[in-house]
Amino acid sequence: MKVFPGKTKNKIRFTTFIICTIVAFVCLCLLHETNQKERGSNAAIRWKSGKQDFSYISVYMSPEENWKENDRNTLVSNLKMSFQQNSIINKDREDNSEGLVKDCFSCEGIMNFTNGKNTATAKVTATGGDFFFFHQPVWLSGFAYSDNDVMKDRVIIDKELAWQLFGGENVAGMPFKINGNTYYVAGVVDTSHLKEDQKAYGEINRAWLPYSAFCKEYQGTNTDINGTPDTSTVIGTEENTNKLPITCYEIVLPNPVKEWAVNLMQTSLDVKDRKMVLIENSQRTNFFYVMDNLKNFFYKASGTQPVAYPYWENAARTRDTKREIYTGILLIALIYPVLLFIRIITWIYKAIDGKIKKRKNKKHAYPL
């Protein structure tokens, strides 16, 4: 006994097909929208010149690794040596060696800012290298400081901190104090309007300070990089300069063969045996990268690496999760349309094959 008559079956099939198609289309739109938000992962594309392919890689480290600026310089030297050994050059830039690498490093801490009677606490990102090439904020006033600045006394602040200290946003060049030492506002940046960025950014004020100045001013009365009190640092002395560990290193480097850059970085840093996490940002929107992450979707929370991600990585990981969910739903939604398509093709093939056989039978039939 048939549960549904033929016409009802066809209606159910058609309705299911339409629903699955709509769900798949919505997921594709959401994937496209999420990928468009991943502006931070296009550093390799912006740095690329000519036919040479590049990869943008981030390495997040535990403070326990005690990774310093000297370690960064050693790593870059070793990478350039590997480029020479593999005959990798960049003919489209004047300096073949320097034109192959673009990098930056950072760490975070809490500091107090003072302007007269106005005081504010902010989460400070200490930066070195070409940090603002990788992270391009929306400028409300002023512009970024540079590693080439002679005086490391310029600081970038967000608009909330600008309002608390100065009562306005157009305050580039204005002085303020950290631990009694005078610094100047290099620029004021707007906070991102993307939901993922806002959630990861948090409600705390933020500022960006040159790494050497951060190490000089970082004091024990503040919370340290791990969020626990540190009473070992003396304010404003040369002894503590460059003593704070780097917790984030980002680099754009050549990738002549698939995963060559990732393997080189893993080998150079010995990531597997250290408290580090390496992420290839260039592949975040790649379908196969998303599928690899999707396999481990339910095990994300069980990570054992003691690494504190900065806000931009937390925002990117939120988008990673969204991509995985949208991709999973998309694949499920496509199952029925694909099976129906295969069935239709099979039916058409059988119908055509049946007609061909009938014609052959008629052609070779003999009259009785």
Side-chain angles (χ1 to χ4, degrees):
M1 180 180 176
K2 293 184 178 180
V3 179
F4 298 108
K7 289 184 178 181
T8 306
K9 263 188 181 179
N10 290 335
K11 286 181 180 179
I12 292 173
R13 287 171 182 165
F14 180 74
T15 304
T16 305
F17 174 79
I18 293 298
I19 292 172
C20 289
T21 303
I22 292 172
V23 170
F25 178 76
V26 171
C27 287
L28 282 172
C29 293
L30 291 171
L31 275 170
H32 177 72
E33 181 186 1
T34 306
N35 290 342
Q36 289 296 106
K37 293 178 181 178
E38 206 62 66
R39 292 172 296 182
S41 64
N42 66 359
I45 297 173
R46 286 186 278 111
W47 181 243
K48 180 179 179 178
S49 61
K51 297 180 180 180
Q52 180 67 268
D53 287 326
F54 285 81
S55 181
Y56 169 27
I57 295 172
S58 296
V59 184
Y60 300 102
M61 313 162 188
S62 167
E64 296 175 21
E65 285 295 328
N66 206 29
W67 211 72
K68 304 290 181 61
E69 197 168 5
N70 288 337
D71 297 306
R72 172 251 190 166
N73 296 336
T74 302
L75 172 64
V76 173
S77 297
N78 291 338
L79 292 176
K80 289 180 179 178
M81 192 178 299
S82 297
F83 300 155
Q84 291 177 359
Q85 291 172 354
N86 291 276
S87 302
I88 298 174
I89 60 173
N90 194 339
K91 297 179 181 179
D92 298 282
R93 294 189 185 275
E94 293 181 2
D95 189 329
N96 291 334
S97 177
E98 294 298 327
L100 289 172
V101 173
K102 194 82 165 173
D103 73 336
C104 73
F105 57 91
S106 60
C107 60
E108 293 185 327
I110 303 292
M111 282 186 174
N112 296 320
F113 293 69
T114 305
N115 177 38
K117 294 182 179 180
N118 297 328
T119 61
T121 301
K123 186 75 170 285
V124 178
T125 302
T127 71
D130 294 293
F131 182 85
F132 296 102
F133 170 81
F134 292 88
H135 307 280
Q136 299 181 319
V138 176
W139 297 98
L140 297 175
S141 67
F143 50 90
Y145 53 74
S146 169
D147 259 12
N148 297 323
D149 292 348
V150 177
M151 300 295 291
K152 307 296 183 181
D153 60 352
R154 299 170 68 227
V155 181
I156 294 167
I157 60 178
D158 66 10
K159 66 178 181 180
E160 286 78 12
L161 184 56
W163 276 98
Q164 284 194 32
L165 289 177
F166 303 100
E169 298 172 358
N170 191 19
V171 294
M174 296 292 288
F176 64 94
K177 292 184 182 295
I178 302 175
N179 297 330
N181 297 320
T182 302
Y183 288 83
Y184 300 90
V185 177
V188 179
V189 299
D190 196 4
T191 52
S192 174
H193 298 290
L194 299 178
K195 188 175 180 179
E196 300 87 358
D197 291 346
Q198 289 177 345
K199 289 287 185 181
Y201 193 88
E203 297 181 359
I204 190 172
N205 301 320
R206 288 189 180 269
W208 294 260
L209 186 70
Y211 179 70
S212 57
F214 178 84
C215 293
K216 180 182 176 182
E217 300 296 346
Y218 203 69
Q219 58 172 314
T221 56
N222 288 318
T223 308
D224 73 0
I225 296 170
N226 289 313
T228 56
D230 177 9
T231 58
S232 62
T233 309
V234 181
I235 302 173
T237 62
E238 291 299 325
E239 290 83 29
N240 64 22
T241 301
N242 294 336
K243 297 296 183 182
L244 293 172
I246 293 167
T247 55
C248 174
Y249 179 70
E250 300 169 87
I251 183 170
V252 169
L253 71 164
N255 190 38
V257 182
K258 186 179 179 181
E259 297 186 356
W260 185 86
V262 171
N263 292 332
L264 177 62
M265 287 293 291
Q266 287 177 338
T267 303
S268 300
L269 289 170
D270 196 18
V271 172
K272 291 182 179 180
D273 297 325
R274 303 176 71 180
K275 295 175 181 178
M276 296 180 177
V277 175
L278 187 147
I279 296 173
E280 187 177 8
N281 298 286
S282 313
Q283 298 297 318
R284 291 196 109 119
T285 59
N286 183 278
F287 175 77
F288 296 103
Y289 178 90
V290 175
M291 288 300 296
D292 283 339
N293 287 341
L294 190 57
K295 294 174 185 177
N296 301 312
F297 182 81
F298 295 104
Y299 303 97
K300 280 187 174 183
S302 61
T304 57
Q305 287 284 9
V307 173
Y309 294 114
Y311 66 89
W312 60 84
E313 176 60 23
N314 283 326
R317 290 172 75 83
T318 300
R319 286 188 285 271
D320 284 346
T321 302
K322 287 186 174 183
R323 269 189 289 271
E324 291 157 24
I325 292 172
Y326 298 150
T327 302
I329 296 173
L330 172 64
L331 294 175
I332 293 171
L334 287 175
I335 291 174
Y336 184 78
V338 169
L339 291 176
L340 187 62
F341 178 76
I342 293 171
R343 184 172 180 177
I344 291 171
I345 294 297
T346 304
W347 179 82
I348 292 171
Y349 172 79
K350 287 181 178 179
I352 294 173
D353 186 56
K355 287 184 178 181
I356 292 172
K357 286 180 179 178
K358 281 184 179 180
R359 286 184 180 179
K360 284 183 178 179
N361 290 335
K362 285 183 180 180
K363 186 176 181 181
H364 297 288
Y366 293 97
L368 295 174

